[in-house]
Amino acid sequence: MAVATQTLEEVCINSIRFLAIDAVEKAKSGHPGLPMGAAPMAFVLWDRFMRYNPKNPTWFNRDRFVLSAGHGSMLQYALLYLTGFDSVSIEDIKQFRQWESRTPGHPENFMTAGVEVTTGPLGQGIANGVGLAIAEAHLAAKFNKPDAKIVDHYTYVILGDGCNMEGVSGEACSYAGHLGLGKLIALYDDNHISIDGSTDIAFTEDVSKRFEAYGWHVLHVQDGNTDLEGIAKAIEEAKSVTDKPSFIKVTTTIGYGSPNKANTAGVHGAALGADEVKLTRENLGWEHEPFVVPEDALKHWRKAIERGADYEAEWNKTYDTYKGKYAEEAAEFERYISGKLPDGWDKVLPTYTPEDKAVATRKHSETCLNKLAPVLPELIGGSADLTHSNLTEIKGFGDFQKGQYQNRNIHFGVREHGMGAICNGISLHRSGLIPYGATFLIFTDYMRAAIRLSALSHGGVIWVMTHDSIGQGEDGPTHQPIETLASLRAIPQLTVIRPADGNETSGAYKVAIEKAKQHAPTLLAFTRQNVPNLAGTSIEGVTKGGYTVVDSEGTPELILIGTGSELSLCVTAAEKLTSEGKKVRVVSLPSWELFEAQDAAYKESILPKAVTKRLSVEAGSSLGWHKYVGTEGDTVSIDRFGASAPGGVCLEKFGFSVDNVLAKAKQLLG
Amino acid sequence: MAVATQTLEEVCINSIRFLAIDAVEKAKSGHPGLPMGAAPMAFVLWDRFMRYNPKNPTWFNRDRFVLSAGHGSMLQYALLYLTGFDSVSIEDIKQFRQWESRTPGHPENFMTAGVEVTTGPLGQGIANGVGLAIAEAHLAAKFNKPDAKIVDHYTYVILGDGCNMEGVSGEACSYAGHLGLGKLIALYDDNHISIDGSTDIAFTEDVSKRFEAYGWHVLHVQDGNTDLEGIAKAIEEAKSVTDKPSFIKVTTTIGYGSPNKANTAGVHGAALGADEVKLTRENLGWEHEPFVVPEDALKHWRKAIERGADYEAEWNKTYDTYKGKYAEEAAEFERYISGKLPDGWDKVLPTYTPEDKAVATRKHSETCLNKLAPVLPELIGGSADLTHSNLTEIKGFGDFQKGQYQNRNIHFGVREHGMGAICNGISLHRSGLIPYGATFLIFTDYMRAAIRLSALSHGGVIWVMTHDSIGQGEDGPTHQPIETLASLRAIPQLTVIRPADGNETSGAYKVAIEKAKQHAPTLLAFTRQNVPNLAGTSIEGVTKGGYTVVDSEGTPELILIGTGSELSLCVTAAEKLTSEGKKVRVVSLPSWELFEAQDAAYKESILPKAVTKRLSVEAGSSLGWHKYVGTEGDTVSIDRFGASAPGGVCLEKFGFSVDNVLAKAKQLLG
């Protein structure tokens, strides 16, 4: 494997390798994933194909790059440094995996400009890539004109064996094949090694054949270690096939260049160690000091800056033409990119009075989505094969399908996890699109990793979850959420809203849309069953997370706290108790996160410390409610699995009835 | 599609169809999934191939049947009734989807004898099937003798498009292909319809080719509606291939027989309605009253009872031979089946004193697993490609691989969700095996649906989760659990244990092993980083969930409550406070669920109501802690995402230090 003389390109590639080796060696940290085998394909891709502007990382029409094998993060940091991004200096690389550095253990888009999505949890990146490609296809179909293509870029993904083993990647890639996303190109770093050792111990399927079965265009580069022309030819060929995504298997050697650790799992999970680094330097003929990139290589890499400026200038010219000819579309495009909402968009959100018919909040959600869809053309999404249960179709806006990318109803199939990661990708395209993804609330369990990543990586996604309690009914305990709300409320940076009726559903969408534009996700939980419209509920109330909907004269003796479908039980119980001379307040608490964000005075005004007799009523786990009901309060809740029976029966049997609320309230009142 | 005269077999098949139609019509419930197209394959399978004993549903060597497309539950109930299981009477069928019935919306093994696993959440069943087949292969390799095969059965699965779209099925089936599980036979009800409509809208991949890529033996029955011989021939062929699992695509018509709703999504998500039922009866020539099965058909079906008795008798003979020749193995086999633990098994669990070296609890876990493995040969499991991080290898017991099924270290690959469902299947084989599955705690997010199902369906699985906090370190926020413990504690019937040191790790395994034998799952959360062995910790303490490890003289002024790695911070802080004259108790609370199961007096003795100054210390979300610290207490917790830095730095920066515990404690003490 010894290398005699090196071409400039080889030096460029070794620059990636040794920046990574040096950074990992300095950090001495567990699971760095040295990009020794992936460096050549990354070099070819970034040096010869990718269109981006290092000095303007958010230039709109850039090709998107996703390192799905996120444990090789030093590959991405090396690329950003070498090509001249300001976000990663050599000092940053020396701070690899250190507190507050811009070079964290896995690529985090919110820490490092030039990183598009947050990867590390395997399989997510490639699925995000499908979302990025969907966003591009949609915007291209919507905005481009025959004489001015202002949306026209590729999405490139490097993924590894781990990504390919994860179900989420299978879901998303099956769907990408279905959609025929021709501008999605995935390079599979086929190195036969995962953490536990050779992939022979667990992963012997024919990955390429699987991708063919998905409908992808599949290629193979036999020698990804040195055959740069082979890599380039494959990428060319991938670009030439425009009606299918391309999957390029690039066979490489993990730890390429390391005499003793190449082709072993040892190089996957740990630093090489000083001795082996020395041997690798010798073996690859690398005589430079740690963290030093030879000038000629850096000069070559940095040509990316000039190229990037040219790409952007070229695009600007196209855009000028576009703007000149298509002023209206250009204005809309600019609004998209700006992340702004159209003035008065929220005026379409309906309000209700108690005289309005009782309907399920999922039905109110449908109304909101369909009111919003015409005024917010950036709203795009759908369900994981439960469209007519989740009620998420936006009517008149067509199905997003191969060749019909201008449409806005996405049929994700029974692929909750893939849907989640795809929605994240659509949002992280950062072109103003507001993606939404829907399923039954219980099936957030299938996509929890993606929901978490929407929160962590600042994805402005709306998660539309219906059938939000045992009121789900006959499908039984496998389909009835119990602990689900609690488990979602626990996720940092995720706002969970469980509206009680029509007004609160409108409020929930007001919050969700605004948060989406602020790059934050919101999860909405809607009922299957009908609920009455209540007096006192309001959009504004929801924006505060918690508010009083029924109040007593003077200081209350008791506060009933309800969410969603159980708020009406509280209201009815309060009427009864009031008629018996009790002083009862009812607080609607649709969103804990929004309520916690209010100032102390507001919170005290709603839940005064002095009032310790408090009863929460929510058809879900009691977990977390003690924060609001305190040690002297009580909960009407369910801490066991549900049962198969009509929803009303389930609710009644498990204690979600006015009678039981009254009984527990009276117990508290003594 | 009109049918003139019907053969007896056709009447048998229509018996399934009309029992389902009548039950669904009576229940008038949302999502029944009528098994019109799947009835013929089910008939052929149960009537000609399956070996089971309706009068002894738990007869050990029965073929296992899994209805992965669980929404077609009436198929399974019809089969159980028709073949003569006592668990499903015609009255039970009339109670389909009603409160406390034995015919719930989806098949639930804990409600209905003859149902092996709980399905409904799509993709789980086929993955459970892989687990069942693994259990069979392992037990066969372990116990069978050339002259007496006491373990020898097939696992049959019926799955649909939904199952095939879910990533979890892809993970498990890729792994089944790797393992070459020849006695796993899946029948794919290929009806082109999912809830949202034709699969053309979202699912156009070549499923058979994908299974070929996985290494399965793939077959196709073109006309699954009427070609019974074709189905039979395919199953025969599947059985003849012994070194690969078989995938039989059976092309069917959804709603077969319904003149207006066949081949539409309408039949997937709703009852047919009285008019269409009438037309379907006419069309299929079915003149019987609702819920009436013609006598000759029932007589034919019920031959299963006699066959079943014969199968069992035959097996008993084999077993007698076995027992006569191989007494020792037979005794072991009987202990397995009985679900009993060997006497004194827990004596091997180590105990520690503060003088023992500080090591990570994951390391203690490794010690426990390796101490237990020789005395509990039924312990079998592994990691999702993190063996040497999770430290789950049981040394000397070999790798479970194709042709090496006697071994006990399972390499699941990077397939957390598949691992989860497979472990459930191994447990639900109900042969005494104790499966364990391991990954980083954060990646329970990938497998949450399977963990939930282990709890719901009484799966005796041990979930071994390491890297249980921001102490994970450099990998950063994508790999650091924050909300994970809270979200798992919320799951009913799941016991979560986060031990603080060596003694508590032993206690955790004592509980987990016992619970596994009682068919309940336990999730263990272990540290990456070293923790000291503490005075006062004990195995017995863990079994109670919470206990006092350091006490004050007289009534404490303050209680510090710690779990896992943070317990030592409490102990050190308490020493300091005590030296300053404060009365401080330290409570270790490794398991909320175990603590809650104690009687009121015990709980009061540990956390006396009168002591309201309480401080919890846990490197995780505060969610739920208010139940223990009350309104006057406080928490040292983390409610934001973590950061990439050395673990010790993360812990310190986020307040998990003695200094911060002291500061908060002093604030409480006033």
Side-chain angles (χ1 to χ4, degrees), chain A residues 279-459:
Chain A
L279 293 174
T280 306
R281 289 185 121 79
E282 287 168 17
N283 190 41
L284 291 180
W286 193 257
E287 292 170 344
H288 315 282
E289 289 298 301
F291 300 104
V292 171
V293 174
E295 215 167 303
D296 53 344
L298 195 60
K299 197 173 154 201
H300 180 85
W301 272 111
R302 292 275 163 97
K303 286 181 188 165
I305 297 172
E306 201 179 324
R307 280 200 310 274
D310 290 348
Y311 293 142
E312 189 169 345
E314 194 187 330
W315 184 81
N316 287 340
K317 240 167 38 192
T318 308
Y319 187 69
D320 286 344
T321 309
Y322 187 89
K323 198 168 177 175
K325 287 191 177 175
Y326 311 104
E328 205 177 314
E329 289 91 333
E332 183 78 333
F333 177 76
E334 287 178 26
R335 185 183 69 75
Y336 269 47
I337 303 308
S338 74
K340 282 189 191 138
L341 285 161
D343 289 339
W345 68 276
D346 55 343
K347 299 285 181 292
V348 302
L349 291 169
T351 56
Y352 301 84
T353 70
E355 286 68 46
D356 288 306
K357 195 180 151 197
V359 302
T361 53
R362 63 173 167 149
K363 188 82 189 158
H364 287 303
S365 165
E366 182 184 40
T367 303
C368 286
L369 283 170
N370 278 278
K371 293 275 187 189
L372 290 168
V375 298
L376 296 178
E378 61 264 51
L379 192 62
I380 180 170
S383 162
D385 198 47
L386 290 169
T387 304
H388 306 299
S389 296
N390 303 142
L391 303 178
T392 43
E393 189 185 353
I394 46 176
K395 292 175 186 85
F397 295 101
D399 285 353
F400 184 88
Q401 291 288 358
K402 185 170 182 171
Q404 296 163 344
Y405 300 130
Q406 75 284 4
N407 290 334
R408 291 159 56 194
N409 285 290
I410 304 182
H411 289 282
F412 292 102
V414 191
R415 304 181 180 103
E416 297 83 7
H417 201 176
M419 171 174 76
I422 288 170
C423 285
N424 290 345
I426 295 173
S427 172
L428 295 174
H429 195 260
R430 290 289 189 249
S431 44
L433 293 174
I434 304 177
Y436 64 95
T439 183
F440 287 166
L441 181 61
I442 188 67
F443 296 133
T444 55
D445 280 359
Y446 271 68
M447 56 189 290
R448 188 173 166 86
I451 293 174
R452 183 183 211 257
L453 276 166
S454 73
L456 175 61
S457 69
H458 304 190

Side-chain angles (χ1 to χ4, degrees), chain A residues 28 69 78 80 112 164 204 446 449 481:
Chain A
K28 298 238 174 291
L80 293 175
T112 318
N164 274 326
T204 48
Y446 271 68

Side-chain angles (χ1 to χ4, degrees), chain A residues 97 106 108 122 166-167 171 174 178 194 196 200 204-206 213 385 387 401 416 446 452 475 477 483 644, chain B residues 97 105-106 122 166-167 171 174 178 194 196 200-201 204-206 213 385 387 416 446 452 475 477 483:
Chain A
R97 297 185 146 226
H106 292 84
E108 296 169 2
L122 291 170
E166 291 285 5
E171 292 179 12
S174 169
H178 169 79
S194 65
D196 274 7
D200 288 351
T204 48
E205 63 166 66
D206 182 340
D385 198 47
T387 304
Q401 291 288 358
E416 297 83 7
Y446 271 68
R452 183 183 211 257
D475 281 347
E483 72 284 16
S644 173
Chain B
R97 297 184 147 228
H106 292 84
L122 292 170
E166 291 285 7
E171 292 179 12
S174 169
H178 169 80
S194 66
D196 274 7
D200 289 350
I201 66 170
T204 48
E205 63 167 64
D206 183 340
D385 197 48
T387 304
E416 297 84 6
Y446 272 67
R452 184 184 210 255
D475 280 347
E483 73 284 16

Side-chain angles (χ1 to χ4, degrees), chain A residues 361 440-442 465-472 479-482 484-485 497-499 524-529 563-566 618-620:
Chain A
T361 53
F440 287 166
L441 181 61
I442 188 67
M465 299 296 155
T466 71
H467 297 62
D468 71 349
S469 76
I470 47 170
Q472 205 275 358
H479 285 55
Q480 294 170 348
I482 299 293
T484 320
L485 283 168
I497 312 182
R498 185 171 188 249
L524 309 177
F526 297 117
T527 67
R528 176 191 182 200
Q529 73 274 22
T563 82
S565 41
E566 287 68 65
E618 181 176 75

